[in-house]
Amino acid sequence: HLAARAAQILCAPAQERPVSPMIGAVWKVEREVGHQQRLWYVRLLGQEKDVWTAYWTINRRRFRFETFVMPAPEENEQAFYEHLLMRNRELTGMKLEIGDEHAIFLAGSLPIAAVNDAELDRVLGSMWAYVEKVFRPALRIGFASRFGS
C-alpha cells in the first residue's frame, strides 16, 4: 500500500505538486510505460548543467532516485575521481556513483514509507543543488583540454 501511495504522489497533477523555489525550471513528470519497475522521470533546467533528468523508481520497499551527471573523463582521471570522492563527503542522502561505461551518476534511495510531498521536494531540490555544485568543476578537470588554458 505504501508503494501505491508513493505512486499516487508522483502522479499528482503538476499544480498540486510542491516545487522548490530554486527549481523554477521544468517540472515535467512522466511515467514510462512497459518498464518492469514503476519508473518516472523529471526534466529540469539547471544553471551549470543546462538540462538534466532525474529518474525515480519504486519497488515494494524502496524509492530510488538517480541522475546522469556526466560521461567518464577524457583526461586527468586521478584528479577527476579524487575530486568526486571529496565531493561525496559533502552530499547528504545520496552519493556519486560510477555506472555503465564509467559514467558518473548521482543516486540515492529512501524507504518507501518515507515518501511524501515534502520529502520528494527535498530530494529533488538536493539533487538539483548537488548537480549544480559538482558538474562544472568536474567538467573542467576531466575535460580540461576542451576549455583551453
Side-chain angles (χ1 to χ4, degrees):
H1 298 314
L2 292 173
R5 174 63 186 132
Q8 181 182 22
I9 291 169
L10 290 172
C11 290
Q15 64 271 20
E16 295 176 18
R17 283 192 300 270
V19 178
S20 176
M22 71 179 172
I23 307 171
V26 176
W27 177 259
K28 180 179 182 183
V29 178
E30 293 191 18
R31 181 169 180 196
E32 188 167 302
V33 180
H35 198 269
Q36 289 181 344
Q37 293 185 354
R38 286 178 256 187
L39 170 69
W40 289 262
Y41 61 93
V42 181
R43 303 278 295 165
L44 298 150
L45 296 178
Q47 294 171 358
E48 296 296 326
K49 186 173 181 185
D50 293 337
V51 177
W52 57 277
T53 304
Y55 294 94
W56 296 347
T57 55
I58 296 175
N59 62 31
R60 288 185 174 192
R61 293 191 174 94
R62 303 296 295 175
F63 166 65
R64 179 165 166 74
F65 42 92
E66 71 176 24
T67 187
F68 171 82
V69 177
M70 66 181 43
E74 294 177 348
E75 57 196 296
N76 303 321
E77 287 185 28
Q78 183 175 347
F80 177 83
Y81 290 117
E82 181 178 312
H83 170 75
L84 294 180
L85 283 171
M86 296 298 287
R87 291 290 187 173
N88 250 351
R89 296 182 69 200
E90 302 168 10
L91 307 181
T92 302
M94 51 195 81
K95 61 193 174 307
L96 293 162
E97 302 176 342
I98 298 174
D100 294 340
E101 300 177 8
H102 299 279
I104 306 304
F105 289 83
L106 177 67
S109 69
L110 294 168
I112 200 70
V115 177
N116 58 40
D117 293 343
E119 193 60 17
L120 287 175
D121 187 52
R122 185 200 65 77
V123 165
L124 193 57
S126 294
M127 290 178 81
W128 189 89
Y130 296 155
V131 167
E132 289 294 304
K133 185 175 190 175
V134 167
F135 182 72
R136 179 76 51 171
L139 192 66
R140 291 203 171 271
I141 294 168
F143 301 87
S145 63
R146 292 187 183 210
F147 291 97
S149 51

